[in-house]
Amino acid sequence: VPCAVLVFPQRFQIDPGDWRLAVDHYALRPEAFDLRAPNRRVAAFCAGRTLACVDPTESMQAWRERSGEALYLPRGDMHWNAAGHRVWLEGAKPALAEVIARARARRGLE
């Protein structure tokens, strides 16, 4: 059975404005945080177990930066809006296609 770990980034990882709000609201020291550390830990866990890791965080960040459009629901909601779902899938498609291709190859379907 093909298996992949899918990363769903937090809004403060995608939108710098949301990160600034969190820093201000919780009086955080931004230099004490590495917002991509959880992603790297998940990727390392997957690599150590030969699991595929699908992480479209960078593509979502780039899309947000280019478009300026929000990807999450308003008022701090951690769920994606319609654009967020679409952008996550577009960013994940290449890695998901690779997972499927490898699974098909193992079964001799390609």
Side-chain angles (χ1 to χ4, degrees), residues 30 40 53 63 65 76 88 102:
R40 287 192 302 278
C53 182
W63 189 91
E65 189 175 309
W88 184 91
R102 274 194 252 133

Side-chain angles (χ1 to χ4, degrees), residues 10-24:
Q10 296 294 314
R11 66 183 301 142
F12 57 79
Q13 289 181 293
I14 301 302
D15 188 330
D18 284 329
W19 174 237
R20 283 190 299 278
L21 286 172
V23 166
D24 291 346

Side-chain angles (χ1 to χ4, degrees), residues 61-72:
Q61 288 169 328
W63 189 91
R64 172 71 172 102
E65 189 175 309
R66 281 192 312 275
S67 74
E69 187 178 337
L71 296 176
Y72 292 81

Side-chain angles (χ1 to χ4, degrees), residues 58-97:
E58 286 183 22
S59 63
M60 291 180 78
Q61 288 169 328
W63 189 91
R64 172 71 172 102
E65 189 175 309
R66 281 192 312 275
S67 74
E69 187 178 337
L71 296 176
Y72 292 81
L73 293 172
R75 293 181 282 209
D77 192 314
M78 294 303 218
H79 297 92
W80 295 321
N81 60 22
H85 283 88
R86 185 182 71 252
V87 171
W88 184 91
L89 180 58
E90 289 302 315
K93 269 184 187 179
L96 291 172

Side-chain angles (χ1 to χ4, degrees), residues 42-60:
V42 169
F45 172 88
C46 292
R49 288 153 184 84
T50 63
L51 286 169
C53 182
V54 178
D55 183 359
T57 301
E58 286 183 22
S59 63
M60 291 180 78

